[in-house]
């Protein structure tokens, strides 16, 4: 791999940088914990700025929502026919792997 290549996967070392990016973008970030009927708690991260509120269960998800909105704006839900077609092609081309990393081929 060359020095200019980037390979990032969500891992224990990506949460704090994601939160710091949100802060650098001017968002106020908060963390709370939400309990369910079974006594299990889960994290809830929020980012707010200029009356906009974003919420997710992980910092990386939160940054992704903010990035989506910053690019797509308030019409983030609206999809074009070409975007739908691209998504259909993505699903069709998806590969399946077993737990050992071997590609599973129907046949």
């Amino acid at each position: 791999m060359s020095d200019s290549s980037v390979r990032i996967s969500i891992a224990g070392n990506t949460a704090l940088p994601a939160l710091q990016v949100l802060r650098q973008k001017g968002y106020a970030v908060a963390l709370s914990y939400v309990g369910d009927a079974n006594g299990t708690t889960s994290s809830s991260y929020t980012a707010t700025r200029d009356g906009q509120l974003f919420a997710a269960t992980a910092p990386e998800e939160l940054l992704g929502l903010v990035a989506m909105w910053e690019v797509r704006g308030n019409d983030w839900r609206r999809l074009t026919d070409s975007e739908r077609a691209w998504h259909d092609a993505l699903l069709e081309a998806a590969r399946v792997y077993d737990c050992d990393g071997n590609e599973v081929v129907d046949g």
Side-chain angles (χ1 to χ4, degrees):
M1 180 169 25
S2 72
D3 290 337
S4 63
S5 295
V6 176
R7 294 180 71 155
I8 302 174
S9 297
I10 291 178
N13 64 351
T14 58
L16 185 52
L19 293 173
Q20 292 301 321
V21 168
L22 289 164
R23 289 183 64 217
Q24 290 170 342
K25 288 175 153 294
Y27 289 88
V29 177
L31 169 63
S32 59
Y33 293 97
V34 180
D36 64 16
N38 297 322
T40 303
T41 59
S42 59
S43 58
S44 177
Y45 290 87
T46 59
T48 56
R49 186 181 77 182
D50 300 331
Q52 304 295 328
L53 170 69
F54 304 89
T57 59
E60 300 87 350
E61 294 170 350
L62 186 61
L63 181 57
L65 291 175
V66 167
M68 178 185 66
W69 178 79
E70 287 180 347
V71 169
R72 296 182 69 93
N74 289 336
D75 276 346
W76 61 267
R77 292 178 197 90
R78 189 179 314 271
L79 297 173
T80 65
D81 289 342
S82 65
E83 288 172 329
R84 291 179 203 282
W86 174 86
H87 184 249
D88 290 345
L90 179 68
L91 293 175
E92 184 65 30
R95 295 179 176 175
V96 176
Y97 297 92
D98 66 18
C99 62
D100 295 319
N102 302 307
E103 186 173 2
V104 176
V105 180
D106 289 337

